[in-house]
Amino acid sequence: MPDPKPQAVMFITGGAGGIGSATSKAFADAGYAVAVTDIDADRAAATAEALVSDGGTAIGLGLDVTSTESTDAAVAETLERFGRIDALVNNAGTIDPGPSEDITDEAWSRLLSVHLDGSFRCSRAAYPALVDSKGSIVNIASVAAHVGLKRRLSYSAAKSALEGMARTLAVEWADVGIRVNAVAPGYTRTELYEHVTTTGLVDPAKMLARVPMHRPGETSEVAAAILFLGSPAASYVTGQTLVVDGGLVVGTDW
């Protein structure tokens, strides 16, 4: 017997990570069927299984966003299983910090291929389904698109470009009913945050001194913003970036 077709479906890349898994849960709790995709297929499957155990509807798929073939296949499988896509969350990413003068061509291209090219590939692949559903896209940017961060040039460039992509597609695709926005998280309590702060790679006190709220964000707080922009609750919002950073971008101690 075929799977029943859900009323709304969310497709997320990098769905097994901290922000990704929290976003998957937020949409599942809101009644969406969720296609959890990740470069780590086993973690994608485990994330989906957890959602199903909590009463949600989900599938886990391996996806390499640097591959057009892999991207098209994941979108096609989602449509085969669920029949539609209502929200696309372009969340897959990586980071490779280091001095800007030492970045190789290969490292630069790899990072932009994941963040920027991958988001374009997924948006292009999902476009026909999003036209049918009058759906939405949320690109996951970063405060790195708003402030200068040492040793993160390629990351900052990619995140800035994702906001530009959201603005351009919002204007271009409004006529077919697709909304496109971005969310820019600040310091967020993810696995990477815990690693760099507990191992001494980053001084958390110095980091959080820049944040007026003096704490990192929780993944659930970022996920709530993504859910808002990806859902009909934001039906008249497009081309915008919602910064979720505890005031880091606007804060100053001058």
Side-chain angles (χ1 to χ4, degrees):
M1 183 176 179
D3 294 335
K5 302 303 182 186
Q7 291 185 337
V9 178
M10 189 272 282
F11 182 105
I12 183 169
T13 66
I19 291 174
S21 59
T23 301
S24 296
K25 177 172 172 49
F27 275 85
D29 288 349
Y32 284 71
V34 179
V36 181
T37 76
D38 200 275
I39 188 68
D40 187 331
D42 291 338
R43 289 191 68 190
T47 301
E49 288 169 6
L51 296 177
V52 172
S53 295
D54 285 342
T57 302
I59 56 173
L61 304 172
L63 169 57
D64 178 1
V65 297
T66 68
S67 163
T68 296
E69 181 180 9
S70 179
T71 300
D72 291 348
V75 169
E77 185 166 351
T78 299
L79 293 173
E80 176 67 24
R81 290 288 300 275
F82 294 143
R84 60 188 295 141
I85 296 175
D86 297 83
L88 165 65
V89 179
N90 288 314
N91 175 65
T94 185
I95 191 166
D96 185 18
S100 297
E101 63 271 21
D102 293 337
I103 299 173
T104 65
D105 289 352
E106 292 76 17
W108 176 272
S109 296
R110 170 67 183 175
L111 192 141
L112 266 68
S113 184
V114 173
H115 287 270
L116 182 58
D117 300 351
S119 296
F120 166 69
R121 290 184 185 97
C122 290
S123 300
R124 180 180 60 191
Y127 174 81
L130 293 171
V131 171
D132 289 342
S133 67
K134 306 302 180 188
S136 65
I137 299 171
V138 182
N139 290 342
I140 307 308
S142 168
V143 292
H146 298 261
V147 298
L149 296 179
K150 291 180 179 180
R151 301 169 60 87
R152 281 160 281 189
L153 176 61
S154 54
Y155 181 83
S156 297
K159 293 304 192 182
S160 298
L162 282 172
E163 293 189 11
M165 177 189 294
R167 288 189 291 270
T168 297
L169 291 183
V171 173
E172 186 173 346
W173 290 356
D175 287 343
V176 295
I178 299 174
R179 295 182 301 105
V180 189
N181 292 286
V183 168
Y187 301 131
T188 306
R189 201 188 304 275
T190 61
E191 291 178 1
L192 177 61
Y193 177 90
E194 296 294 346
H195 172 71
V196 299
T197 55
T198 58
T199 60
L201 293 175
V202 172
D203 181 351
K206 183 177 180 181
M207 176 189 294
L208 296 179
R210 301 179 59 190
V211 180
M213 293 181 71
H214 299 300
R215 67 171 179 87
E218 302 296 336
T219 55
S220 60
E221 293 175 309
V222 178
I226 299 168
L227 174 61
F228 167 67
L229 289 177
S231 75
S235 58
Y236 199 53
V237 181
T238 196
Q240 304 303 307
T241 296
L242 178 52
V243 180
V244 185
D245 70 346
L248 186 154
V249 168
V250 298
T252 179
D253 59 359
W254 295 355

